[in-house]
Amino acid sequence: MRAHSRPSATPIVAAKEGMLTRTVQSKVKSHDKWLKFALLVLTYGFTICWHPLNASWLSLNQSTPQRRAIAMAMFVMASNTGGVIGSQMLRKNDAPYYDTGFRVAIALAALGTAVAIAQHFQYRWSNKRNEKRQEKGEVGETFIYTT
């Protein structure tokens, strides 16, 4: 049984990513290629770390090895689907500023943030429900989710 609770940093990170992306979008019209390169690296460089963190969080919150295997398979399938969709976001007809592509990226980041926040609160609600069941002595799921 695990019980770890800490404040979620997801909204803060999403706000920073949104601000950086909007900054890049406004500065990408500059003719300074090194400024564009630096802003793009800063914007997308720190988003790479979320994939293994999400995989770890998902893995920790599965009560059995069988559920973990299915959840990780679905996670990989979703990631691969995202790669197919992501390759179509920055289209040639949207060049050179990719306004539509950046808007879609921000919308998807906002959706992902909303889902992560909802999942966080769902885990907290499930933990409270499971603790009440344990106090009553009911037999059932006794797994404590990591939030």
Side-chain angles (χ1 to χ4, degrees), residues 84-116:
V84 170
I85 294 167
S87 67
Q88 297 297 314
M89 282 176 40
L90 302 177
R91 312 255 346 213
K92 189 174 184 176
N93 61 353
D94 201 20
Y97 303 124
Y98 303 105
D99 291 328
T100 304
F102 281 122
R103 282 190 200 106
V104 170
I106 291 170
L108 290 173
L111 176 65
T113 300
V115 169

mmCIF file of all heavy atoms in Angstrom, residues 84-116:
data_model
loop_
_atom_site.group_PDB
_atom_site.id
_atom_site.type_symbol
_atom_site.label_atom_id
_atom_site.label_comp_id
_atom_site.label_asym_id
_atom_site.label_seq_id
_atom_site.Cartn_x
_atom_site.Cartn_y
_atom_site.Cartn_z
ATOM 1 N N VAL A 84 1.916 10.175 -34.478
ATOM 2 C CA VAL A 84 1.335 10.261 -35.815
ATOM 3 C C VAL A 84 0.607 11.594 -35.983
ATOM 4 O O VAL A 84 0.773 12.291 -36.989
ATOM 5 C CB VAL A 84 0.369 9.082 -36.076
ATOM 6 C CG1 VAL A 84 -0.420 9.282 -37.353
ATOM 7 C CG2 VAL A 84 1.143 7.779 -36.113
ATOM 8 N N ILE A 85 -0.171 11.963 -34.985
ATOM 9 C CA ILE A 85 -0.909 13.228 -35.049
ATOM 10 C C ILE A 85 0.058 14.405 -34.994
ATOM 11 O O ILE A 85 -0.081 15.377 -35.733
ATOM 12 C CB ILE A 85 -1.936 13.301 -33.905
ATOM 13 C CG1 ILE A 85 -3.006 12.229 -34.100
ATOM 14 C CG2 ILE A 85 -2.560 14.683 -33.808
ATOM 15 C CD1 ILE A 85 -3.882 11.998 -32.908
ATOM 16 N N GLY A 86 1.053 14.320 -34.115
ATOM 17 C CA GLY A 86 2.019 15.411 -33.957
ATOM 18 C C GLY A 86 2.801 15.707 -35.219
ATOM 19 O O GLY A 86 3.174 16.856 -35.482
ATOM 20 N N SER A 87 3.048 14.697 -36.022
ATOM 21 C CA SER A 87 3.804 14.926 -37.258
ATOM 22 C C SER A 87 3.002 15.721 -38.280
ATOM 23 O O SER A 87 3.562 16.211 -39.252
ATOM 24 C CB SER A 87 4.240 13.585 -37.859
ATOM 25 O OG SER A 87 3.108 12.863 -38.310
ATOM 26 N N GLN A 88 1.698 15.857 -38.058
ATOM 27 C CA GLN A 88 0.849 16.608 -38.984
ATOM 28 C C GLN A 88 0.511 18.015 -38.491
ATOM 29 O O GLN A 88 -0.223 18.736 -39.149
ATOM 30 C CB GLN A 88 -0.456 15.832 -39.219
ATOM 31 C CG GLN A 88 -0.258 14.503 -39.867
ATOM 32 C CD GLN A 88 0.344 14.648 -41.258
ATOM 33 O OE1 GLN A 88 -0.085 15.478 -42.050
ATOM 34 N NE2 GLN A 88 1.356 13.850 -41.550
ATOM 35 N N MET A 89 1.026 18.419 -37.334
ATOM 36 C CA MET A 89 0.655 19.713 -36.753
ATOM 37 C C MET A 89 1.306 20.896 -37.471
ATOM 38 O O MET A 89 0.666 21.913 -37.683
ATOM 39 C CB MET A 89 1.007 19.756 -35.267
ATOM 40 C CG MET A 89 0.018 19.004 -34.433
ATOM 41 S SD MET A 89 0.420 18.920 -32.691
ATOM 42 C CE MET A 89 1.047 20.496 -32.310
ATOM 43 N N LEU A 90 2.559 20.784 -37.805
ATOM 44 C CA LEU A 90 3.276 21.881 -38.458
ATOM 45 C C LEU A 90 3.311 21.599 -39.960
ATOM 46 O O LEU A 90 4.261 21.039 -40.488
ATOM 47 C CB LEU A 90 4.677 22.036 -37.865
ATOM 48 C CG LEU A 90 4.725 22.296 -36.365
ATOM 49 C CD1 LEU A 90 6.149 22.357 -35.869
ATOM 50 C CD2 LEU A 90 3.969 23.555 -35.994
ATOM 51 N N ARG A 91 2.266 21.999 -40.629
ATOM 52 C CA ARG A 91 2.079 21.700 -42.045
ATOM 53 C C ARG A 91 2.763 22.737 -42.929
ATOM 54 O O ARG A 91 2.935 23.889 -42.541
ATOM 55 C CB ARG A 91 0.582 21.662 -42.365
ATOM 56 C CG ARG A 91 -0.217 20.846 -41.392
ATOM 57 C CD ARG A 91 -0.706 19.551 -41.758
ATOM 58 N NE ARG A 91 -0.715 19.142 -43.105
ATOM 59 C CZ ARG A 91 -1.636 18.352 -43.577
ATOM 60 N NH1 ARG A 91 -2.630 17.982 -42.832
ATOM 61 N NH2 ARG A 91 -1.569 17.924 -44.804
ATOM 62 N N LYS A 92 3.098 22.318 -44.114
ATOM 63 C CA LYS A 92 3.795 23.187 -45.053
ATOM 64 C C LYS A 92 2.946 24.406 -45.429
ATOM 65 O O LYS A 92 3.469 25.500 -45.592
ATOM 66 C CB LYS A 92 4.168 22.396 -46.303
ATOM 67 C CG LYS A 92 5.069 23.146 -47.245
ATOM 68 C CD LYS A 92 5.505 22.257 -48.391
ATOM 69 C CE LYS A 92 6.485 23.004 -49.279
ATOM 70 N NZ LYS A 92 6.995 22.155 -50.346
ATOM 71 N N ASN A 93 1.631 24.231 -45.540
ATOM 72 C CA ASN A 93 0.774 25.354 -45.928
ATOM 73 C C ASN A 93 0.607 26.371 -44.799
ATOM 74 O O ASN A 93 0.038 27.434 -45.007
ATOM 75 C CB ASN A 93 -0.592 24.867 -46.412
ATOM 76 C CG ASN A 93 -1.351 24.105 -45.348
ATOM 77 O OD1 ASN A 93 -0.821 23.820 -44.275
ATOM 78 N ND2 ASN A 93 -2.574 23.743 -45.647
ATOM 79 N N ASP A 94 1.096 26.076 -43.605
ATOM 80 C CA ASP A 94 1.035 26.986 -42.458
ATOM 81 C C ASP A 94 2.371 27.718 -42.265
ATOM 82 O O ASP A 94 2.499 28.548 -41.379
ATOM 83 C CB ASP A 94 0.685 26.188 -41.200
ATOM 84 C CG ASP A 94 0.121 27.034 -40.088
ATOM 85 O OD1 ASP A 94 -0.355 28.151 -40.375
ATOM 86 O OD2 ASP A 94 0.154 26.579 -38.931
ATOM 87 N N ALA A 95 3.356 27.378 -43.088
ATOM 88 C CA ALA A 95 4.694 27.966 -42.974
ATOM 89 C C ALA A 95 4.647 29.443 -43.343
ATOM 90 O O ALA A 95 3.768 29.864 -44.087
ATOM 91 C CB ALA A 95 5.660 27.221 -43.878
ATOM 92 N N PRO A 96 5.551 30.239 -42.901
ATOM 93 C CA PRO A 96 6.722 29.964 -42.077
ATOM 94 C C PRO A 96 6.466 30.158 -40.582
ATOM 95 O O PRO A 96 7.332 29.865 -39.775
ATOM 96 C CB PRO A 96 7.734 30.993 -42.573
ATOM 97 C CG PRO A 96 6.897 32.184 -42.915
ATOM 98 C CD PRO A 96 5.601 31.611 -43.439
ATOM 99 N N TYR A 97 5.276 30.643 -40.183
ATOM 100 C CA TYR A 97 5.068 30.969 -38.767
ATOM 101 C C TYR A 97 4.316 29.888 -38.000
ATOM 102 O O TYR A 97 4.333 29.879 -36.781
ATOM 103 C CB TYR A 97 4.336 32.303 -38.644
ATOM 104 C CG TYR A 97 5.072 33.413 -39.333
ATOM 105 C CD1 TYR A 97 4.448 34.165 -40.321
ATOM 106 C CD2 TYR A 97 6.401 33.694 -39.027
ATOM 107 C CE1 TYR A 97 5.125 35.175 -40.967
ATOM 108 C CE2 TYR A 97 7.080 34.698 -39.674
ATOM 109 C CZ TYR A 97 6.440 35.440 -40.644
ATOM 110 O OH TYR A 97 7.114 36.427 -41.284
ATOM 111 N N TYR A 98 3.622 29.010 -38.682
ATOM 112 C CA TYR A 98 2.924 27.875 -38.074
ATOM 113 C C TYR A 98 1.965 28.308 -36.959
ATOM 114 O O TYR A 98 1.928 27.712 -35.886
ATOM 115 C CB TYR A 98 3.925 26.838 -37.553
ATOM 116 C CG TYR A 98 4.841 26.340 -38.631
ATOM 117 C CD1 TYR A 98 6.159 26.766 -38.701
ATOM 118 C CD2 TYR A 98 4.378 25.459 -39.599
ATOM 119 C CE1 TYR A 98 6.998 26.335 -39.711
ATOM 120 C CE2 TYR A 98 5.215 25.013 -40.610
ATOM 121 C CZ TYR A 98 6.518 25.445 -40.654
ATOM 122 O OH TYR A 98 7.349 25.014 -41.652
ATOM 123 N N ASP A 99 1.187 29.355 -37.229
ATOM 124 C CA ASP A 99 0.241 29.846 -36.229
ATOM 125 C C ASP A 99 -0.754 28.764 -35.818
ATOM 126 O O ASP A 99 -1.023 28.561 -34.632
ATOM 127 C CB ASP A 99 -0.512 31.069 -36.761
ATOM 128 C CG ASP A 99 0.384 32.286 -36.896
ATOM 129 O OD1 ASP A 99 1.324 32.417 -36.087
ATOM 130 O OD2 ASP A 99 0.142 33.094 -37.804
ATOM 131 N N THR A 100 -1.314 28.057 -36.790
ATOM 132 C CA THR A 100 -2.278 26.999 -36.487
ATOM 133 C C THR A 100 -1.615 25.879 -35.699
ATOM 134 O O THR A 100 -2.183 25.378 -34.720
ATOM 135 C CB THR A 100 -2.885 26.442 -37.790
ATOM 136 O OG1 THR A 100 -3.466 27.527 -38.518
ATOM 137 C CG2 THR A 100 -3.935 25.394 -37.495
ATOM 138 N N GLY A 101 -0.424 25.484 -36.086
ATOM 139 C CA GLY A 101 0.288 24.411 -35.387
ATOM 140 C C GLY A 101 0.571 24.757 -33.936
ATOM 141 O O GLY A 101 0.395 23.925 -33.046
ATOM 142 N N PHE A 102 0.999 25.988 -33.690
ATOM 143 C CA PHE A 102 1.262 26.397 -32.311
ATOM 144 C C PHE A 102 -0.027 26.469 -31.503
ATOM 145 O O PHE A 102 -0.057 26.115 -30.328
ATOM 146 C CB PHE A 102 2.004 27.731 -32.264
ATOM 147 C CG PHE A 102 3.474 27.605 -32.539
ATOM 148 C CD1 PHE A 102 4.064 28.292 -33.582
ATOM 149 C CD2 PHE A 102 4.278 26.794 -31.755
ATOM 150 C CE1 PHE A 102 5.413 28.179 -33.836
ATOM 151 C CE2 PHE A 102 5.631 26.665 -31.998
ATOM 152 C CZ PHE A 102 6.205 27.359 -33.044
ATOM 153 N N ARG A 103 -1.111 26.922 -32.120
ATOM 154 C CA ARG A 103 -2.394 26.962 -31.411
ATOM 155 C C ARG A 103 -2.853 25.548 -31.042
ATOM 156 O O ARG A 103 -3.360 25.315 -29.953
ATOM 157 C CB ARG A 103 -3.445 27.666 -32.253
ATOM 158 C CG ARG A 103 -3.304 29.161 -32.233
ATOM 159 C CD ARG A 103 -4.514 29.841 -32.871
ATOM 160 N NE ARG A 103 -4.134 31.172 -33.253
ATOM 161 C CZ ARG A 103 -3.906 31.579 -34.492
ATOM 162 N NH1 ARG A 103 -4.062 30.757 -35.503
ATOM 163 N NH2 ARG A 103 -3.545 32.819 -34.743
ATOM 164 N N VAL A 104 -2.682 24.625 -31.958
ATOM 165 C CA VAL A 104 -3.053 23.231 -31.680
ATOM 166 C C VAL A 104 -2.177 22.678 -30.556
ATOM 167 O O VAL A 104 -2.679 21.986 -29.657
ATOM 168 C CB VAL A 104 -2.934 22.376 -32.962
ATOM 169 C CG1 VAL A 104 -3.065 20.900 -32.640
ATOM 170 C CG2 VAL A 104 -3.986 22.793 -33.974
ATOM 171 N N ALA A 105 -0.890 22.983 -30.569
ATOM 172 C CA ALA A 105 0.012 22.507 -29.513
ATOM 173 C C ALA A 105 -0.406 23.046 -28.153
ATOM 174 O O ALA A 105 -0.423 22.314 -27.156
ATOM 175 C CB ALA A 105 1.454 22.911 -29.825
ATOM 176 N N ILE A 106 -0.766 24.328 -28.094
ATOM 177 C CA ILE A 106 -1.204 24.911 -26.829
ATOM 178 C C ILE A 106 -2.518 24.279 -26.377
ATOM 179 O O ILE A 106 -2.699 23.970 -25.196
ATOM 180 C CB ILE A 106 -1.327 26.447 -26.965
ATOM 181 C CG1 ILE A 106 0.070 27.064 -27.117
ATOM 182 C CG2 ILE A 106 -2.045 27.043 -25.760
ATOM 183 C CD1 ILE A 106 0.054 28.521 -27.488
ATOM 184 N N ALA A 107 -3.439 24.049 -27.316
ATOM 185 C CA ALA A 107 -4.718 23.425 -26.967
ATOM 186 C C ALA A 107 -4.519 22.010 -26.438
ATOM 187 O O ALA A 107 -5.144 21.606 -25.447
ATOM 188 C CB ALA A 107 -5.646 23.417 -28.176
ATOM 189 N N LEU A 108 -3.636 21.257 -27.066
ATOM 190 C CA LEU A 108 -3.365 19.897 -26.599
ATOM 191 C C LEU A 108 -2.679 19.894 -25.238
ATOM 192 O O LEU A 108 -2.969 19.043 -24.395
ATOM 193 C CB LEU A 108 -2.530 19.133 -27.631
ATOM 194 C CG LEU A 108 -3.263 18.772 -28.920
ATOM 195 C CD1 LEU A 108 -2.290 18.175 -29.936
ATOM 196 C CD2 LEU A 108 -4.407 17.823 -28.647
ATOM 197 N N ALA A 109 -1.774 20.845 -25.009
ATOM 198 C CA ALA A 109 -1.140 20.949 -23.689
ATOM 199 C C ALA A 109 -2.174 21.298 -22.629
ATOM 200 O O ALA A 109 -2.147 20.757 -21.518
ATOM 201 C CB ALA A 109 -0.024 21.995 -23.726
ATOM 202 N N ALA A 110 -3.105 22.188 -22.963
ATOM 203 C CA ALA A 110 -4.167 22.541 -22.016
ATOM 204 C C ALA A 110 -5.069 21.350 -21.734
ATOM 205 O O ALA A 110 -5.450 21.107 -20.576
ATOM 206 C CB ALA A 110 -4.989 23.709 -22.559
ATOM 207 N N LEU A 111 -5.405 20.581 -22.759
ATOM 208 C CA LEU A 111 -6.223 19.385 -22.566
ATOM 209 C C LEU A 111 -5.493 18.374 -21.690
ATOM 210 O O LEU A 111 -6.091 17.796 -20.766
ATOM 211 C CB LEU A 111 -6.571 18.758 -23.918
ATOM 212 C CG LEU A 111 -7.341 17.447 -23.852
ATOM 213 C CD1 LEU A 111 -8.729 17.663 -23.236
ATOM 214 C CD2 LEU A 111 -7.449 16.830 -25.235
ATOM 215 N N GLY A 112 -4.218 18.153 -21.963
ATOM 216 C CA GLY A 112 -3.433 17.230 -21.145
ATOM 217 C C GLY A 112 -3.352 17.675 -19.697
ATOM 218 O O GLY A 112 -3.429 16.861 -18.767
ATOM 219 N N THR A 113 -3.222 18.973 -19.485
ATOM 220 C CA THR A 113 -3.190 19.511 -18.125
ATOM 221 C C THR A 113 -4.514 19.276 -17.424
ATOM 222 O O THR A 113 -4.549 18.855 -16.262
ATOM 223 C CB THR A 113 -2.862 21.014 -18.164
ATOM 224 O OG1 THR A 113 -1.585 21.179 -18.777
ATOM 225 C CG2 THR A 113 -2.842 21.617 -16.775
ATOM 226 N N ALA A 114 -5.610 19.520 -18.122
ATOM 227 C CA ALA A 114 -6.935 19.303 -17.528
ATOM 228 C C ALA A 114 -7.149 17.834 -17.162
ATOM 229 O O ALA A 114 -7.665 17.526 -16.084
ATOM 230 C CB ALA A 114 -8.017 19.775 -18.493
ATOM 231 N N VAL A 115 -6.713 16.934 -18.024
ATOM 232 C CA VAL A 115 -6.852 15.502 -17.739
ATOM 233 C C VAL A 115 -5.996 15.104 -16.538
ATOM 234 O O VAL A 115 -6.435 14.342 -15.668
ATOM 235 C CB VAL A 115 -6.494 14.660 -18.988
ATOM 236 C CG1 VAL A 115 -6.361 13.190 -18.644
ATOM 237 C CG2 VAL A 115 -7.532 14.863 -20.071
ATOM 238 N N ALA A 116 -4.773 15.624 -16.455
ATOM 239 C CA ALA A 116 -3.901 15.310 -15.318
ATOM 240 C C ALA A 116 -4.485 15.829 -14.009
ATOM 241 O O ALA A 116 -4.438 15.141 -12.979
ATOM 242 C CB ALA A 116 -2.509 15.895 -15.543
#
